[in-house]
Amino acid sequence: MKFTATILLLAAATSNAFMPQATPFMRTNTFALNAEVTVASIKELRGLTGAGMMDCKKALIETEGDVEAAIENMRTSGQLKAAKKAAKVAAEGQIIIKSDDDGAVLVEVNCQTDFVAKDGSFLAFAGKVADFAIADKPTIEELKEKFEEDRVALVAKIGENIEVRRVQYVEGEQCSTYIHNGGKIGVVVAGSGDDQVLKNMCMHVCASAPQFLSPSDVADEVIEKERKIQIEVAMNEGKPEDIAEKMVAGRMRKFAGEIALKGQPFVMEPKKSVEEVLKEKKSDITSFIRLEVGEGIVKDDGPSFAEEVAAMAGGN
């Protein structure tokens, strides 16, 4: 009987030795911070404040997950507000034109939204900048320095990033100006002759956006670059190189006229060139400038929430 019991005990011990042993559960690569701070609360705070994910994470840790308290702390610190406004791309705004007996100035002042671009305080600021520019002819660096304190005060008041971006001058005793679409595009044409003709030329410049004054002003490198592009396009369409060269030669004779003001078909009389119309009206253009709000600005909305979550998870 004792022998049988001993056998049974040995069998049980042997069986237990080969049983899988339980191991404690361990969370890996987690970005849940603690019981109070979760990804959901970070997303909520980010949506309410527009702050970066790491800023929201830090704020929630400090308040033990209390979203309202985190918002209050972020508001009272002031640091978040300044960083947030500076990071926003200012691609809306106004082109302001001022003129005097010697010429005209075009100033571009940017903000973030079209709504603020029509705000009285913003327009007053932009007008003040342009008034100083026509009076003193400063560079863009000097203009920015002159109005930096006013700009910062206006950012605090309106709540959007604001930037004095560009200033351009046109010299001439006879200048015509044109503002299109409530300040989205501004044009100044300097020349001589009939005032209405010059005004019409402003509207042409606005619509056609010429890059040069006369076809002879188009640089050789600009023409050569376009010639190579057109040859490559023709060859990609299956044309032999010699045929492509001949086709492009004909196109290039027109190219300089297409991008130069005086060579373009006049928008109000397309059968005549701008130069022909000017001669008929005994008028001439010596220079022009066209500015469009936001041209050349690349809008970057930054990483998505999912991308920020992935980056934070990887960091932990």
Side-chain angles (χ1 to χ4, degrees), residues 41-57 59-60 67 70-72 74-75 79-89 112 159 300-305 308:
S41 62
I42 292 173
K43 184 175 182 180
E44 179 185 0
L45 182 59
R46 185 175 183 267
L48 292 170
T49 64
M53 187 148 183
M54 297 307 296
D55 288 328
C56 293
K57 172 183 172 182
L60 285 167
V67 174
I71 292 174
E72 189 63 27
M74 294 165 86
R75 290 180 62 193
Q79 295 177 351
L80 173 62
K81 182 176 181 180
K84 179 181 174 183
K85 299 298 178 289
K88 297 293 185 180
V89 176
Q112 292 170 227
D300 183 7
D301 294 330
S304 66
F305 181 75
E308 288 193 13

Side-chain angles (χ1 to χ4, degrees), residues 96-100 105-107 124-148 150 164 167 169:
I96 305 294
I97 299 177
K98 300 287 183 176
S99 57
D100 60 15
V105 64
L106 302 90
V107 175
F125 172 75
K128 187 177 178 181
V129 172
D131 285 336
F132 180 79
I134 191 65
D136 285 42
K137 308 295 189 294
T139 64
I140 185 59
E141 291 78 15
E142 293 168 339
L143 201 57
K144 286 183 176 183
E145 183 179 358
K146 170 71 176 177
F147 288 95
E148 179 60 12
D150 291 349
V164 179
V167 59
Y169 300 96

Side-chain angles (χ1 to χ4, degrees), residues 88-92 108 110-112 161-163 165 294 297:
K88 297 293 185 180
V89 176
E92 297 293 338
E108 179 182 1
N110 296 129
C111 55
Q112 292 170 227
N161 192 21
I162 293 168
E163 180 184 1
R165 184 181 179 221
I297 296 177

Side-chain angles (χ1 to χ4, degrees), residues 118-235:
K118 299 172 184 176
D119 176 79
S121 299
F122 175 82
L123 292 173
F125 172 75
K128 187 177 178 181
V129 172
D131 285 336
F132 180 79
I134 191 65
D136 285 42
K137 308 295 189 294
T139 64
I140 185 59
E141 291 78 15
E142 293 168 339
L143 201 57
K144 286 183 176 183
E145 183 179 358
K146 170 71 176 177
F147 288 95
E148 179 60 12
E149 289 186 9
D150 291 349
R151 186 193 71 82
V152 171
L154 189 58
V155 168
K157 176 183 177 182
I158 291 180
E160 285 195 8
N161 192 21
I162 293 168
E163 180 184 1
V164 179
R165 184 181 179 221
R166 291 187 289 180
V167 59
Q168 295 280 341
Y169 300 96
V170 178
E171 295 182 354
E173 293 184 3
Q174 187 175 357
C175 288
S176 184
T177 66
Y178 176 64
I179 290 290
H180 180 71
N181 195 20
K184 295 297 184 184
I185 300 174
V187 176
V188 175
V189 167
S192 59
D194 189 281
D195 287 335
Q196 186 57 51
V197 171
L198 295 184
K199 175 64 75 174
N200 291 344
M201 292 302 164
C202 280
M203 289 186 278
H204 172 95
V205 170
C206 178
S208 301
Q211 301 174 40
F212 301 90
L213 179 60
S214 301
S216 59
D217 296 327
V218 182
D220 292 340
E221 55 265 29
V222 174
I223 295 175
E224 180 60 20
K225 181 180 179 181
E226 181 65 19
R227 189 184 74 84
K228 289 179 179 179
I229 292 173
Q230 291 299 329
I231 289 174
E232 186 175 346
V233 169
M235 291 178 66

